[in-house]
């Protein structure tokens, strides 16, 4: 939604909060930053999903091994 709101900027600039201050930046720069942030977050999500898959696989392997030991 933020990228859509940037399209409505009348003079081609918008404001970004950095720390405790607000800085005027060109809309195109802000859109680029948003796209980069989104891409980084998507990569982290994929990484966490793969990690979760590996953990689940290892858990199933250990569960099967434990069942074999108990029986």
């Amino acid at each position: 939604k933020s990228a859509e709101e940037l399209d409505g900027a009348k003079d081609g600039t918008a404001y970004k909060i950095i720390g405790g201050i607000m800085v005027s930046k060109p809309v195109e720069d802000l859109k680029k930053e948003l796209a980069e942030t989104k891409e980084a977050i998507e990569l982290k999500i994929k990484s966490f999903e793969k990690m979760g898959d590996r953990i689940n696989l290892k858990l199933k392997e250990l569960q099967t091994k434990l069942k074999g030991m108990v029986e």
Side-chain angles (χ1 to χ4, degrees):
K1 184 174 177 173
S2 296
E4 294 170 3
E5 291 174 358
L6 289 174
D7 290 332
K10 294 179 182 178
D11 62 356
T13 61
Y15 292 91
K16 176 181 179 179
I17 297 175
I18 302 174
I21 62 171
M22 190 179 292
V23 179
S24 176
K25 292 188 86 170
V27 169
E28 291 306 315
D29 289 353
L30 292 172
K31 284 183 180 182
K32 182 179 176 185
E33 288 178 23
L34 284 173
E36 290 170 355
T37 301
K38 180 181 176 184
E39 185 177 332
I41 290 170
E42 288 172 347
L43 286 173
K44 286 180 183 181
I45 289 171
K46 287 179 185 178
S47 176
F48 286 133
E49 287 173 346
K50 287 180 183 178
M51 188 184 313
D53 291 343
R54 286 193 305 265
I55 290 170
N56 284 333
L57 181 61
K58 184 69 175 175
L59 181 61
K60 287 178 183 178
E61 290 173 3
L62 291 172
Q63 187 176 26
T64 301
K65 193 175 186 180
L66 185 59
K67 281 183 181 179
M69 293 172 71
V70 172
E71 293 175 350

